[in-house]
């Protein structure tokens, strides 16, 4: 999968160095993935929350942080929408 809007990941890692290893690991694993369906994604990331319209939320650092992406499975592209604390996640308007 190709990850777009990586700047959000870089900025987050700068602000939250405790999450750097896990964000890097997520990024490496996702870039090797070739998901065609949400079911294939959840086989690899069982704790990922599949939302409507291609939106997916991943837990980072044992659910301390949340990563929101939008996936175009047919194109193999992941767009990073947001990454922040669990508290901030509650304010996101994910449809």
């Amino acid at each position: 999968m190709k990850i777009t809007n990586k700047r959000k990941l870089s900025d987050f890692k700068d602000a939250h160095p405790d999450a750097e290893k896990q964000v890097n690991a997520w990024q490496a694993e996702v870039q090797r993935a070739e998901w065609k369906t949400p079911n294939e994604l959840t086989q690899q990331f069982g704790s990922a929350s599949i939302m409507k319209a291609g939106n997916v939320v991943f837990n980072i650092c044992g659910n301390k942080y949340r990563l929101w992406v939008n996936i175009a499975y047919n194109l193999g592209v992941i767009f990073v929408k947001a990454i922040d604390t669990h508290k901030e996640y509650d304010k996101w308007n994910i449809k």
Side-chain angles (χ1 to χ4, degrees), residues 25-38:
W26 174 88
Q27 197 170 347
E29 193 168 347
V30 166
Q31 288 174 322
R32 288 189 302 272
E34 296 180 5
W35 306 313
K36 300 294 182 203
T37 66

Side-chain angles (χ1 to χ4, degrees), residues 1 34-42 48-51 53-56 58 69-78:
M1 305 294 285
E34 296 180 5
W35 306 313
K36 300 294 182 203
T37 66
N39 186 46
E40 290 178 3
L41 181 153
T42 56
S49 299
I50 306 297
M51 316 300 263
N55 291 305
V56 179
F58 293 90
V69 302
N70 186 270
I71 302 177
Y73 294 94
N74 60 329
L75 300 175
V77 176
I78 295 177

Side-chain angles (χ1 to χ4, degrees), residues 6 12 29 41 43 46 72 75 84 89 92:
K6 291 181 187 178
F12 180 80
E29 193 168 347
L41 181 153
Q43 288 176 3
L75 300 175
D84 214 327
Y89 161 78
W92 296 349

Side-chain angles (χ1 to χ4, degrees), residues 42-87:
T42 56
Q43 288 176 3
Q44 188 169 358
F45 288 96
S47 65
S49 299
I50 306 297
M51 316 300 263
K52 294 181 181 178
N55 291 305
V56 179
V57 176
F58 293 90
N59 297 322
I60 303 293
C61 291
N63 208 20
K64 182 176 180 181
Y65 304 111
R66 293 284 181 99
L67 168 59
W68 172 20
V69 302
N70 186 270
I71 302 177
Y73 294 94
N74 60 329
L75 300 175
V77 176
I78 295 177
F79 181 80
V80 177
K81 303 276 281 183
I83 182 168
D84 214 327
T85 64
H86 194 279
K87 183 179 177 181

Side-chain angles (χ1 to χ4, degrees), residues 1-25:
M1 305 294 285
K2 179 181 179 183
I3 301 171
T4 60
N5 202 18
K6 291 181 187 178
R7 179 65 184 220
K8 287 194 184 259
L9 297 176
S10 295
D11 290 347
F12 180 80
K13 289 186 293 185
D14 289 345
H16 303 275
D18 63 312
E20 183 173 5
K21 281 185 179 181
Q22 191 160 4
V23 171
N24 288 343

